[in-house]
Amino acid sequence: MSALQQPLWYLRALAVVAGSLSVMSCFSNRQNEGAKLYETHCANCHGAQGEGLKRLIPPLAGSDYLTTSRGSLACLVRKGVKGPLLVNGVEFNQVMPPADSHLTDSQITNILNFVQTSWGNKGEIFTIREVTEQLQGCGASDGR
């Protein structure tokens, strides 16, 4: 290898390493975002382990509602809910406040995916496209 090619090769290798580190940090920064968002916005009512609160607030852990109502979960988070819900054979009838102004479509996707894969839940993962389409269906997508 000539003296001129050696520094060029070295610079290319450094660029590849720097690019790889940049991509890895991008993913690691969001790795636990769903858990953090759940803790901040949902755990006060639904519990740290998704256990709910007796007959007042429905559980998310082991909840049949997550599968039977998959097509409306994003809108439920964004718009909230008033009126009865049937979860695991138990009727709940409390108000869940909306997340209209403080959660993006992407953040709702991360929360839903955290819930879908936590506490023994084995739900199918949501894509951002699926969540945005659900939110567009109820007039609630922010496009972010």
Side-chain angles (χ1 to χ4, degrees):
M1 189 177 298
S2 75
L4 184 59
Q5 289 176 327
Q6 192 171 10
L8 188 57
W9 176 85
Y10 181 72
L11 288 174
R12 285 185 182 150
L14 280 176
V16 169
V17 169
S20 297
L21 290 174
S22 175
V23 168
M24 287 189 305
S25 71
C26 176
F27 288 114
S28 64
N29 286 343
R30 290 185 163 251
Q31 182 178 9
N32 297 315
E33 184 178 32
K36 291 173 188 169
L37 289 165
Y38 177 85
E39 184 180 329
T40 301
H41 299 284
C42 312
N44 283 343
C45 295
H46 289 284
Q49 298 301 309
E51 69 275 15
L53 182 61
K54 299 191 183 202
R55 292 186 169 264
L56 294 174
I57 298 170
L60 299 175
S63 171
D64 63 351
Y65 192 85
L66 297 174
T67 53
T68 62
S69 301
R70 179 182 172 85
S72 63
L73 294 177
C75 290
L76 184 141
V77 172
R78 174 65 50 79
K79 298 283 216 174
V81 67
K82 292 179 185 175
L85 292 176
L86 192 62
V87 179
N88 299 338
V90 177
E91 186 174 293
F92 295 87
N93 196 1
Q94 296 294 318
V95 174
M96 179 175 138
D100 265 337
S101 62
H102 60 278
L103 292 175
T104 65
D105 293 6
S106 175
Q107 290 173 320
I108 290 173
T109 304
N110 286 326
I111 289 171
L112 289 174
N113 285 335
F114 172 72
V115 170
Q116 290 285 79
T117 59
S118 296
W119 318 300
N121 293 336
K122 298 194 182 336
E124 185 180 339
I125 296 297
F126 284 87
T127 64
I128 184 69
R129 174 175 279 157
E130 180 182 8
V131 167
T132 297
E133 287 172 0
Q134 279 188 27
L135 292 171
Q136 286 171 343
C138 64
S141 176
D142 68 2
R144 299 181 295 156

